[in-house]
Amino acid sequence: MHSRILAGVTVGAIALVGAALPANAAEESSAKLSVLHGVPDLPVDVYVNNELTLDNFAPSDLAGPLELPAGTYSVAITAADAADASAPAIGPVDLTLAAGGNYTAVAHLNAAGEPTATLFLNDTTATAAGEGRLTVRHTAAAPAVDVLAGGSAVISGLTNPNEQVLNLPAGTVSASVAAAGTTDPVIGPADVTIADGVNTIVYAWGSLEAGNLALAVQTIDGLSSAPHGIPAGSVGLAADSDTGSLVWLGSAALLMLIAAAGVTVSTRRREAAQSK
Amino acid sequence: MRVRFGIGLMALLVLSGCSGTPAVPQGVPSAPAPLTTTPAPGAGLGEQPPASPAPETAIVVPDVPRQNSSIDAQVTREVVPPVNISVADLELDMPVLGMGVDGDGAMDLPQNTGEAGWYRFGPAPGDPAGTTVIAAHVDSAIYGLGAFARLREVTIGVPVTVRTADGAEHRYTVSEVVRTPKSDVPLGDLFDREGAARLVLVTCGGEFDRSTGHYLDNVIVTAVPE
């Protein structure tokens, strides 16, 4: 049991190394950690470095984010009525948190239905103006799945405990989860909000066999970018001057002529009025 | 008449010398930073609660924020969009439409110079923090000169009223009027989401480059809540 969990965490850690960290990562010495409970029907206690950190943590609960100094933490998850961390149901596992990283540790079932834990690194790189990010994580006791939006697969063949990340225009996506290669939903359809500058992380968790598959949502905001500019004119009617041509010189000359004519006309009118 | 025209002509001849280079895209992620790990022996969660660090001797379960992650428990942000802006001193009174981003990643604006656009991905007038950005085309070949052209004439202290869809009137006072070459516009600051609540009105101005069809400057009016 232990060795299998550790192996799973190692795979996760290898996947993390290649992922992008936020631009300011080097300046920070702390990391952010959230914890998601994705094991059905099992209230737990979460111990970090043997300290009880989450007491009576219920399925579907999301805790955090905690701001922690970068480093390696030992996490053990016990049944909620355990007296201490000596007989964990999951772990203990070592979670290595790099400076500037934003992580979610998920207690969940593996594809075979056994409790395990996976550490995911959340993508907190900036999103383009008008876009949000959708991260889908397979943490359910279920085979490979497709994620369907508007009836067609936007993610194909996602397996436990992996993720896929999409950058999408802000809006609402009606998403459902189906067994890979099929379109008959096992979860959903459910409306998922894609907000500008927000990484919306959707977890499929639970067990297909037990019929308790569900979706959990975590959001990480503050990733927005400003638009590239505000192009608010197109003709030049309000311009101080033109560049790129000498048209304005001609216009100015014309305006001078009109003005001169106006002065002449008004002078004549005044003279005419005075003569009356 | 002749004197006033002379001043106008002088203004026409003033070249502000700004460049037409496109604004630098904001928020482009830099290269991934190296993963560095600083071992922190003994730095347990119980000793490092996020808000107020407790002494190392404290043995308490930290008050970690928890929420139900169920997709059915998610609450979407309620936004009350602005629908009208008026500046009585400028005889400016126009509808406001929610606008997003165009194909080039710039803020999209109504083509009609009689309508202003609100950046709908950013803060709204009722929000406690951040900048509500409302911009309008200064001119158009179809619709002619827009009322936002008169923003250049606004002075500090002038009241601005924005009405939101719920009928509420949000009153502001102009605190700053600047004209900045587009390449120098601090877009990240202008579209700020976390600082003090304020209203920023933007249009184009300055020189007009006929070869690109763009003005070289943005006229930026900042107003603070009354």
Side-chain angles (χ1 to χ4, degrees):
Chain A
M1 179 71 166
H2 272 200
S3 60
R4 194 183 300 122
I5 288 160
L6 286 172
V9 169
T10 307
V11 170
I14 290 165
L16 295 175
V17 174
L21 281 175
N24 56 356
E27 296 160 24
E28 296 180 11
S29 59
S30 65
K32 286 195 171 78
L33 176 67
S34 300
V35 182
L36 175 68
H37 188 336
V39 180
D41 309 321
L42 182 69
V44 297
D45 291 344
V46 178
Y47 289 81
V48 178
N49 290 353
N50 281 319
E51 299 272 0
L52 178 58
T53 303
L54 294 171
D55 189 22
N56 219 357
F57 197 41
S60 186
D61 271 3
L62 174 68
L66 285 165
E67 190 101 26
L68 298 170
T72 300
Y73 296 87
S74 173
V75 174
I77 297 171
T78 67
D81 54 2
D84 55 42
S86 59
I90 303 174
V93 294
D94 282 345
L95 305 183
T96 299
L97 309 183
N102 184 318
Y103 300 88
T104 304
V106 187
H108 65 102
L109 300 177
N110 66 15
E114 295 149 348
T116 185
T118 302
L119 182 67
F120 290 96
L121 176 62
N122 303 315
D123 185 346
T124 54
T125 55
T127 53
E131 288 189 359
R133 181 167 295 137
L134 174 64
T135 303
V136 180
R137 292 175 176 162
H138 187 331
T139 55
V145 297
D146 291 350
V147 177
L148 312 168
S152 58
V154 292
I155 295 173
S156 298
L158 186 65
T159 54
N160 185 328
N162 294 300
E163 67 173 13
Q164 192 151 342
V165 180
L166 303 170
N167 291 314
L168 300 170
T172 302
V173 174
S174 178
S176 52
V177 178
T182 72
T183 55
D184 197 19
V186 292
I187 311 176
D191 283 346
V192 178
T193 302
I194 307 300
D196 174 89
V198 177
N199 184 358
T200 299
I201 306 170
V202 179
Y203 301 83
W205 65 282
S207 163
L208 178 64
E209 194 179 301
N212 55 12
L213 290 175
L215 295 180
V217 178
Q218 175 186 12
T219 56
I220 297 171
D221 61 13
L223 314 181
S224 65
S225 299
H228 292 177
I230 309 174
S234 54
V235 188
L237 297 179
D240 293 343
S241 67
D242 282 326
T243 60
S245 83
L246 290 176
V247 171
W248 66 271
L249 271 180
S251 305
L254 188 64
L255 284 170
M256 282 176 80
L257 282 175
I258 292 166
V263 169
T264 309
V265 168
S266 64
T267 307
R268 278 188 192 151
R269 278 192 188 144
R270 207 175 307 127
E271 282 166 358
Q274 281 166 355
S275 68
K276 271 183 184 171
Chain B
M1 168 91 185
R2 200 171 294 165
V3 172
R4 200 185 308 145
F5 180 68
I7 291 168
L9 189 59
M10 278 179 65
L12 277 172
L13 290 169
V14 170
L15 295 173
S16 69
C18 52
S19 75
T21 49
V24 177
Q26 302 289 304
V28 174
S30 62
L35 277 164
T36 52
T37 304
T38 312
L45 284 171
E47 296 153 14
Q48 301 287 340
S52 52
E56 288 200 349
T57 51
I59 307 171
V60 290
V61 178
D63 188 17
V64 182
R66 288 189 203 184
Q67 64 193 82
N68 182 357
S69 69
S70 167
I71 192 163
D72 300 324
Q74 302 302 305
V75 283
T76 46
R77 173 185 165 221
E78 283 295 328
V79 179
V80 185
V83 293
N84 183 272
I85 182 167
S86 60
V87 186
D89 289 37
L90 301 178
E91 294 181 357
L92 183 158
D93 189 325
M94 56 206 290
V96 176
L97 311 178
M99 302 299 286
V101 177
D102 68 17
D104 298 325
M107 181 178 166
D108 205 6
L109 296 178
Q111 288 305 309
N112 188 341
T113 52
E115 296 169 339
W118 161 63
Y119 188 61
R120 64 186 171 90
F121 299 126
D127 288 347
T131 303
T132 299
V133 178
I134 295 179
H137 274 302
V138 71
D139 63 18
S140 142
I142 299 164
Y143 299 98
L145 199 61
F148 262 47
R150 297 197 286 277
L151 280 185
R152 291 186 293 186
E153 301 158 21
V154 82
T155 51
I156 287 165
V158 164
V160 178
T161 303
V162 177
R163 195 171 72 243
T164 41
D166 57 358
E169 293 201 329
H170 302 263
R171 296 172 198 283
Y172 301 84
T173 305
V174 171
S175 61
E176 190 183 52
V177 183
V178 295
R179 204 174 77 188
T180 308
K182 283 182 180 173
S183 54
D184 294 346
V185 172
L187 292 161
D189 177 50
L190 198 153
F191 287 93
D192 169 61
R193 303 205 178 178
E194 290 169 356
R198 60 175 185 165
L199 172 70
V200 167
L201 309 177
V202 187
T203 193
C204 275
E207 296 174 49
F208 185 73
D209 186 341
R210 253 170 228 291
S211 63
T212 62
H214 290 302
Y215 287 87
L216 298 190
D217 294 353
N218 273 138
V219 176
I220 302 169
V221 174
T222 304
V224 293
E226 274 184 7

mmCIF file of all heavy atoms in Angstrom, chain B residues 27-66:
data_model
loop_
_atom_site.group_PDB
_atom_site.id
_atom_site.type_symbol
_atom_site.label_atom_id
_atom_site.label_comp_id
_atom_site.label_asym_id
_atom_site.label_seq_id
_atom_site.Cartn_x
_atom_site.Cartn_y
_atom_site.Cartn_z
ATOM 1 N N GLY B 27 1.475 41.013 -19.171
ATOM 2 C CA GLY B 27 1.259 39.717 -18.541
ATOM 3 C C GLY B 27 1.788 38.526 -19.321
ATOM 4 O O GLY B 27 1.335 37.423 -19.119
ATOM 5 N N VAL B 28 2.724 38.775 -20.225
ATOM 6 C CA VAL B 28 3.294 37.639 -20.944
ATOM 7 C C VAL B 28 4.182 36.861 -19.980
ATOM 8 O O VAL B 28 5.084 37.434 -19.372
ATOM 9 C CB VAL B 28 4.107 38.117 -22.151
ATOM 10 C CG1 VAL B 28 4.811 36.953 -22.808
ATOM 11 C CG2 VAL B 28 3.201 38.821 -23.142
ATOM 12 N N PRO B 29 3.916 35.589 -19.825
ATOM 13 C CA PRO B 29 4.714 34.837 -18.857
ATOM 14 C C PRO B 29 6.165 34.734 -19.299
ATOM 15 O O PRO B 29 6.452 34.572 -20.471
ATOM 16 C CB PRO B 29 4.043 33.465 -18.839
ATOM 17 C CG PRO B 29 3.262 33.383 -20.097
ATOM 18 C CD PRO B 29 2.906 34.785 -20.479
ATOM 19 N N SER B 30 7.070 34.856 -18.364
ATOM 20 C CA SER B 30 8.477 34.720 -18.694
ATOM 21 C C SER B 30 8.857 33.250 -18.641
ATOM 22 O O SER B 30 8.049 32.390 -18.341
ATOM 23 C CB SER B 30 9.313 35.528 -17.695
ATOM 24 O OG SER B 30 9.116 35.002 -16.408
ATOM 25 N N ALA B 31 10.106 33.004 -18.936
ATOM 26 C CA ALA B 31 10.577 31.621 -18.956
ATOM 27 C C ALA B 31 10.405 30.998 -17.566
ATOM 28 O O ALA B 31 10.492 31.694 -16.554
ATOM 29 C CB ALA B 31 12.040 31.596 -19.354
ATOM 30 N N PRO B 32 10.133 29.713 -17.531
ATOM 31 C CA PRO B 32 9.950 29.069 -16.228
ATOM 32 C C PRO B 32 11.174 29.261 -15.343
ATOM 33 O O PRO B 32 12.306 29.131 -15.804
ATOM 34 C CB PRO B 32 9.763 27.593 -16.587
ATOM 35 C CG PRO B 32 9.358 27.580 -18.014
ATOM 36 C CD PRO B 32 9.993 28.799 -18.637
ATOM 37 N N ALA B 33 10.915 29.593 -14.114
ATOM 38 C CA ALA B 33 12.009 29.765 -13.167
ATOM 39 C C ALA B 33 12.466 28.401 -12.690
ATOM 40 O O ALA B 33 11.694 27.444 -12.675
ATOM 41 C CB ALA B 33 11.533 30.603 -11.983
ATOM 42 N N PRO B 34 13.735 28.294 -12.320
ATOM 43 C CA PRO B 34 14.196 26.984 -11.838
ATOM 44 C C PRO B 34 13.512 26.617 -10.525
ATOM 45 O O PRO B 34 13.208 27.490 -9.717
ATOM 46 C CB PRO B 34 15.701 27.200 -11.635
ATOM 47 C CG PRO B 34 15.858 28.686 -11.492
ATOM 48 C CD PRO B 34 14.769 29.306 -12.320
ATOM 49 N N LEU B 35 13.250 25.363 -10.389
ATOM 50 C CA LEU B 35 12.648 24.882 -9.148
ATOM 51 C C LEU B 35 13.709 24.861 -8.062
ATOM 52 O O LEU B 35 14.724 24.187 -8.188
ATOM 53 C CB LEU B 35 12.107 23.462 -9.351
ATOM 54 C CG LEU B 35 10.729 23.316 -9.976
ATOM 55 C CD1 LEU B 35 10.539 21.895 -10.456
ATOM 56 C CD2 LEU B 35 9.647 23.682 -8.989
ATOM 57 N N THR B 36 13.518 25.634 -7.045
ATOM 58 C CA THR B 36 14.470 25.619 -5.937
ATOM 59 C C THR B 36 13.743 25.205 -4.677
ATOM 60 O O THR B 36 12.642 25.668 -4.407
ATOM 61 C CB THR B 36 15.099 26.999 -5.721
ATOM 62 O OG1 THR B 36 14.040 27.951 -5.619
ATOM 63 C CG2 THR B 36 16.000 27.384 -6.872
ATOM 64 N N THR B 37 14.342 24.329 -3.970
ATOM 65 C CA THR B 37 13.716 23.829 -2.753
ATOM 66 C C THR B 37 14.576 24.191 -1.554
ATOM 67 O O THR B 37 15.772 23.914 -1.526
ATOM 68 C CB THR B 37 13.568 22.304 -2.818
ATOM 69 O OG1 THR B 37 12.826 21.994 -3.995
ATOM 70 C CG2 THR B 37 12.816 21.779 -1.611
ATOM 71 N N THR B 38 13.966 24.860 -0.614
ATOM 72 C CA THR B 38 14.662 25.188 0.617
ATOM 73 C C THR B 38 14.077 24.345 1.732
ATOM 74 O O THR B 38 12.956 24.597 2.154
ATOM 75 C CB THR B 38 14.490 26.671 0.969
ATOM 76 O OG1 THR B 38 14.769 27.431 -0.196
ATOM 77 C CG2 THR B 38 15.423 27.078 2.074
ATOM 78 N N PRO B 39 14.792 23.331 2.171
ATOM 79 C CA PRO B 39 14.244 22.494 3.241
ATOM 80 C C PRO B 39 14.005 23.331 4.493
ATOM 81 O O PRO B 39 14.821 24.168 4.850
ATOM 82 C CB PRO B 39 15.336 21.457 3.479
ATOM 83 C CG PRO B 39 16.217 21.509 2.262
ATOM 84 C CD PRO B 39 16.117 22.897 1.741
ATOM 85 N N ALA B 40 12.846 23.130 5.085
ATOM 86 C CA ALA B 40 12.511 23.878 6.293
ATOM 87 C C ALA B 40 12.175 22.893 7.388
ATOM 88 O O ALA B 40 11.018 22.625 7.654
ATOM 89 C CB ALA B 40 11.350 24.813 6.037
ATOM 90 N N PRO B 41 13.212 22.299 8.008
ATOM 91 C CA PRO B 41 12.933 21.260 8.999
ATOM 92 C C PRO B 41 12.113 21.808 10.168
ATOM 93 O O PRO B 41 12.378 22.914 10.652
ATOM 94 C CB PRO B 41 14.323 20.832 9.463
ATOM 95 C CG PRO B 41 15.307 21.739 8.824
ATOM 96 C CD PRO B 41 14.621 22.606 7.849
ATOM 97 N N GLY B 42 11.129 21.058 10.534
ATOM 98 C CA GLY B 42 10.339 21.442 11.698
ATOM 99 C C GLY B 42 9.309 22.502 11.411
ATOM 100 O O GLY B 42 8.573 22.893 12.304
ATOM 101 N N ALA B 43 9.266 23.006 10.187
ATOM 102 C CA ALA B 43 8.302 24.054 9.866
ATOM 103 C C ALA B 43 6.962 23.420 9.528
ATOM 104 O O ALA B 43 6.587 23.286 8.384
ATOM 105 C CB ALA B 43 8.791 24.899 8.702
ATOM 106 N N GLY B 44 6.267 22.991 10.535
ATOM 107 C CA GLY B 44 5.000 22.294 10.331
ATOM 108 C C GLY B 44 3.870 23.251 10.064
ATOM 109 O O GLY B 44 3.970 24.444 10.312
ATOM 110 N N LEU B 45 2.768 22.719 9.531
ATOM 111 C CA LEU B 45 1.597 23.545 9.228
ATOM 112 C C LEU B 45 1.064 24.198 10.497
ATOM 113 O O LEU B 45 0.641 25.341 10.479
ATOM 114 C CB LEU B 45 0.499 22.682 8.617
ATOM 115 C CG LEU B 45 0.683 22.282 7.155
ATOM 116 C CD1 LEU B 45 -0.366 21.269 6.773
ATOM 117 C CD2 LEU B 45 0.603 23.500 6.260
ATOM 118 N N GLY B 46 1.076 23.441 11.596
ATOM 119 C CA GLY B 46 0.507 23.962 12.827
ATOM 120 C C GLY B 46 1.246 25.188 13.324
ATOM 121 O O GLY B 46 0.692 25.986 14.052
ATOM 122 N N GLU B 47 2.503 25.341 12.915
ATOM 123 C CA GLU B 47 3.277 26.491 13.374
ATOM 124 C C GLU B 47 3.197 27.651 12.403
ATOM 125 O O GLU B 47 3.705 28.713 12.671
ATOM 126 C CB GLU B 47 4.741 26.072 13.562
ATOM 127 C CG GLU B 47 4.917 25.024 14.638
ATOM 128 C CD GLU B 47 6.142 24.155 14.398
ATOM 129 O OE1 GLU B 47 6.973 24.531 13.558
ATOM 130 O OE2 GLU B 47 6.238 23.104 15.040
ATOM 131 N N GLN B 48 2.595 27.450 11.241
ATOM 132 C CA GLN B 48 2.593 28.495 10.221
ATOM 133 C C GLN B 48 1.191 28.773 9.684
ATOM 134 O O GLN B 48 0.935 28.594 8.506
ATOM 135 C CB GLN B 48 3.499 28.079 9.054
ATOM 136 C CG GLN B 48 4.942 27.815 9.421
ATOM 137 C CD GLN B 48 5.707 29.086 9.718
ATOM 138 O OE1 GLN B 48 5.305 30.177 9.309
ATOM 139 N NE2 GLN B 48 6.801 28.969 10.456
ATOM 140 N N PRO B 49 0.277 29.200 10.538
ATOM 141 C CA PRO B 49 -1.013 29.589 9.972
ATOM 142 C C PRO B 49 -0.834 30.803 9.068
ATOM 143 O O PRO B 49 0.091 31.598 9.294
ATOM 144 C CB PRO B 49 -1.859 29.923 11.205
ATOM 145 C CG PRO B 49 -0.884 30.170 12.299
ATOM 146 C CD PRO B 49 0.353 29.402 11.984
ATOM 147 N N PRO B 50 -1.662 30.948 8.031
ATOM 148 C CA PRO B 50 -1.390 31.936 7.006
ATOM 149 C C PRO B 50 -1.488 33.383 7.469
ATOM 150 O O PRO B 50 -0.661 34.201 7.108
ATOM 151 C CB PRO B 50 -2.464 31.642 5.965
ATOM 152 C CG PRO B 50 -3.530 30.881 6.693
ATOM 153 C CD PRO B 50 -2.839 30.150 7.790
ATOM 154 N N ALA B 51 -2.463 33.724 8.263
ATOM 155 C CA ALA B 51 -2.698 35.131 8.566
ATOM 156 C C ALA B 51 -1.805 35.629 9.697
ATOM 157 O O ALA B 51 -1.047 36.568 9.546
ATOM 158 C CB ALA B 51 -4.159 35.344 8.927
ATOM 159 N N SER B 52 -1.874 34.982 10.853
ATOM 160 C CA SER B 52 -1.119 35.468 12.001
ATOM 161 C C SER B 52 -0.249 34.344 12.543
ATOM 162 O O SER B 52 -0.732 33.430 13.185
ATOM 163 C CB SER B 52 -2.078 35.939 13.093
ATOM 164 O OG SER B 52 -3.018 34.926 13.360
ATOM 165 N N PRO B 53 1.065 34.390 12.226
ATOM 166 C CA PRO B 53 1.940 33.308 12.680
ATOM 167 C C PRO B 53 1.902 33.152 14.201
ATOM 168 O O PRO B 53 2.097 34.106 14.935
ATOM 169 C CB PRO B 53 3.330 33.773 12.216
ATOM 170 C CG PRO B 53 3.061 34.777 11.137
ATOM 171 C CD PRO B 53 1.754 35.413 11.494
ATOM 172 N N ALA B 54 1.619 31.939 14.629
ATOM 173 C CA ALA B 54 1.554 31.672 16.057
ATOM 174 C C ALA B 54 2.948 31.312 16.549
ATOM 175 O O ALA B 54 3.807 30.910 15.766
ATOM 176 C CB ALA B 54 0.589 30.529 16.325
ATOM 177 N N PRO B 55 3.188 31.453 17.830
ATOM 178 C CA PRO B 55 4.492 31.029 18.358
ATOM 179 C C PRO B 55 4.705 29.544 18.117
ATOM 180 O O PRO B 55 3.754 28.766 18.036
ATOM 181 C CB PRO B 55 4.385 31.334 19.855
ATOM 182 C CG PRO B 55 3.074 31.958 20.095
ATOM 183 C CD PRO B 55 2.325 32.042 18.824
ATOM 184 N N GLU B 56 5.985 29.126 18.039
ATOM 185 C CA GLU B 56 6.286 27.750 17.664
ATOM 186 C C GLU B 56 5.801 26.748 18.705
ATOM 187 O O GLU B 56 5.655 25.582 18.400
ATOM 188 C CB GLU B 56 7.798 27.608 17.458
ATOM 189 C CG GLU B 56 8.273 28.302 16.194
ATOM 190 C CD GLU B 56 9.616 27.786 15.729
ATOM 191 O OE1 GLU B 56 10.269 27.045 16.481
ATOM 192 O OE2 GLU B 56 9.988 28.125 14.609
ATOM 193 N N THR B 57 5.554 27.231 19.899
ATOM 194 C CA THR B 57 5.138 26.322 20.947
ATOM 195 C C THR B 57 3.648 25.980 20.854
ATOM 196 O O THR B 57 3.207 25.021 21.448
ATOM 197 C CB THR B 57 5.413 26.945 22.319
ATOM 198 O OG1 THR B 57 4.857 28.266 22.331
ATOM 199 C CG2 THR B 57 6.899 27.020 22.617
ATOM 200 N N ALA B 58 2.891 26.782 20.101
ATOM 201 C CA ALA B 58 1.446 26.586 20.057
ATOM 202 C C ALA B 58 1.105 25.227 19.443
ATOM 203 O O ALA B 58 1.644 24.857 18.421
ATOM 204 C CB ALA B 58 0.795 27.685 19.246
ATOM 205 N N ILE B 59 0.250 24.478 20.103
ATOM 206 C CA ILE B 59 -0.219 23.203 19.565
ATOM 207 C C ILE B 59 -1.727 23.304 19.409
ATOM 208 O O ILE B 59 -2.499 22.891 20.259
ATOM 209 C CB ILE B 59 0.162 22.017 20.482
ATOM 210 C CG1 ILE B 59 1.673 22.047 20.766
ATOM 211 C CG2 ILE B 59 -0.220 20.701 19.818
ATOM 212 C CD1 ILE B 59 2.125 21.068 21.813
ATOM 213 N N VAL B 60 -2.134 23.929 18.317
ATOM 214 C CA VAL B 60 -3.561 24.075 18.031
ATOM 215 C C VAL B 60 -3.800 23.701 16.573
ATOM 216 O O VAL B 60 -2.906 23.801 15.747
ATOM 217 C CB VAL B 60 -4.050 25.523 18.263
ATOM 218 C CG1 VAL B 60 -4.066 25.870 19.737
ATOM 219 C CG2 VAL B 60 -3.184 26.505 17.494
ATOM 220 N N VAL B 61 -4.999 23.255 16.296
ATOM 221 C CA VAL B 61 -5.359 22.985 14.908
ATOM 222 C C VAL B 61 -5.582 24.332 14.234
ATOM 223 O O VAL B 61 -6.398 25.122 14.685
ATOM 224 C CB VAL B 61 -6.631 22.122 14.833
ATOM 225 C CG1 VAL B 61 -7.013 21.889 13.372
ATOM 226 C CG2 VAL B 61 -6.411 20.809 15.548
ATOM 227 N N PRO B 62 -4.801 24.619 13.190
ATOM 228 C CA PRO B 62 -4.927 25.939 12.572
ATOM 229 C C PRO B 62 -6.301 26.116 11.925
ATOM 230 O O PRO B 62 -6.945 25.157 11.513
ATOM 231 C CB PRO B 62 -3.814 25.946 11.521
ATOM 232 C CG PRO B 62 -3.521 24.524 11.244
ATOM 233 C CD PRO B 62 -3.826 23.762 12.507
ATOM 234 N N ASP B 63 -6.721 27.353 11.864
ATOM 235 C CA ASP B 63 -8.024 27.665 11.286
ATOM 236 C C ASP B 63 -7.878 27.821 9.773
ATOM 237 O O ASP B 63 -7.807 28.923 9.249
ATOM 238 C CB ASP B 63 -8.562 28.949 11.918
ATOM 239 C CG ASP B 63 -9.996 29.204 11.488
ATOM 240 O OD1 ASP B 63 -10.635 28.250 10.998
ATOM 241 O OD2 ASP B 63 -10.455 30.348 11.623
ATOM 242 N N VAL B 64 -7.776 26.677 9.099
ATOM 243 C CA VAL B 64 -7.605 26.696 7.654
ATOM 244 C C VAL B 64 -8.972 26.929 7.002
ATOM 245 O O VAL B 64 -9.937 26.241 7.338
ATOM 246 C CB VAL B 64 -7.017 25.352 7.163
ATOM 247 C CG1 VAL B 64 -6.801 25.386 5.658
ATOM 248 C CG2 VAL B 64 -5.727 25.049 7.893
ATOM 249 N N PRO B 65 -9.076 27.903 6.098
ATOM 250 C CA PRO B 65 -10.371 28.125 5.451
ATOM 251 C C PRO B 65 -10.819 26.888 4.668
ATOM 252 O O PRO B 65 -10.026 26.264 3.978
ATOM 253 C CB PRO B 65 -10.110 29.318 4.522
ATOM 254 C CG PRO B 65 -8.630 29.401 4.380
ATOM 255 C CD PRO B 65 -8.048 28.822 5.621
ATOM 256 N N ARG B 66 -12.097 26.540 4.815
ATOM 257 C CA ARG B 66 -12.643 25.380 4.104
ATOM 258 C C ARG B 66 -13.880 25.789 3.333
ATOM 259 O O ARG B 66 -14.608 26.682 3.732
ATOM 260 C CB ARG B 66 -13.071 24.295 5.093
ATOM 261 C CG ARG B 66 -11.936 23.580 5.767
ATOM 262 C CD ARG B 66 -12.491 22.395 6.531
ATOM 263 N NE ARG B 66 -11.582 22.013 7.610
ATOM 264 C CZ ARG B 66 -11.765 20.957 8.392
ATOM 265 N NH1 ARG B 66 -12.849 20.194 8.237
ATOM 266 N NH2 ARG B 66 -10.900 20.674 9.337
#
